[in-house]
Amino acid sequence: MTPEQVTLVQQSFAKVAPIADHAAVIFYDRLFEIAPPVKSMFPADMTEQRKKLMATLAVVVNGLSNLESILPAASALAQRHVAYGAKAEHYPVVGSALLWALEKGLGDGWTADIAAAWTAAYTTLSGFMIEQAYGRPQAAE
């Protein structure tokens, strides 16, 4: 990721943060729409899960300017996801739902440059997480 992309991700996430719970609802609704089988990996009451998602995104987004600082947490998260039943092929689906939710949340603020920046961020982190969890790097877009 370029420094400019990091800035775009951070600035755009700052605009999503005030509607964090709504953004998380949009994300999970989309995820379950495009990948219904993954719904069984989640609790019936998604309240805490939505909070965890947005808190994790905040940590990641804030740490992008010092990527090395968030890699240990990303590795641990990847290992936990394996225990929940997540597979490498789920990462692209999650990425698609995330980008879709961000586009909906940002509305007119979603630009080609912001889309590219978020794609780069997600691809970087998900590739690392897949490698940590499954022992092989794999592109996840």
Side-chain angles (χ1 to χ4, degrees), residues 17 27 45 54 60 69 74 80 87 119 138-139:
F27 166 77
D45 181 353
M54 296 311 290
V60 169
S69 70
R80 286 195 306 275
K87 296 180 170 42
T119 299
Q138 182 173 329

Side-chain angles (χ1 to χ4, degrees), residues 5-47:
Q5 287 176 319
V6 169
T7 298
L8 285 173
V9 168
Q10 291 173 336
Q11 289 174 344
S12 61
F13 187 73
K15 294 175 184 170
V16 173
I19 59 159
D21 192 61
H22 181 65
V25 168
I26 293 170
F27 166 77
Y28 283 112
D29 284 352
R30 180 65 175 173
L31 179 62
F32 300 154
E33 177 185 331
I34 63 175
V38 303
K39 190 170 186 173
S40 65
M41 294 183 211
F42 294 90
D45 181 353
M46 292 291 291
T47 305

Side-chain angles (χ1 to χ4, degrees), residues 50-139:
R50 290 192 302 264
K51 289 177 185 174
K52 288 178 185 178
L53 169 71
M54 296 311 290
T56 300
L57 278 175
V59 168
V60 169
V61 166
N62 290 330
L64 285 176
S65 51
N66 181 11
L67 195 56
E68 295 295 318
S69 70
I70 59 173
L71 294 182
S75 178
L77 182 61
Q79 296 300 321
R80 286 195 306 275
H81 280 129
V82 171
Y84 302 145
K87 296 180 170 42
E89 57 266 24
H90 292 138
Y91 282 80
V93 177
V94 169
S96 174
L98 177 64
L99 294 175
W100 189 88
L102 288 164
E103 180 179 2
K104 297 302 171 206
L106 290 169
D108 291 342
W110 184 255
T111 66
D113 287 343
I114 290 173
W118 273 98
T119 299
Y122 186 79
T123 302
T124 299
L125 263 297
S126 64
F128 173 78
M129 290 175 68
I130 290 168
E131 185 174 3
Q132 293 296 298
Y134 309 103
R136 64 187 189 284
Q138 182 173 329

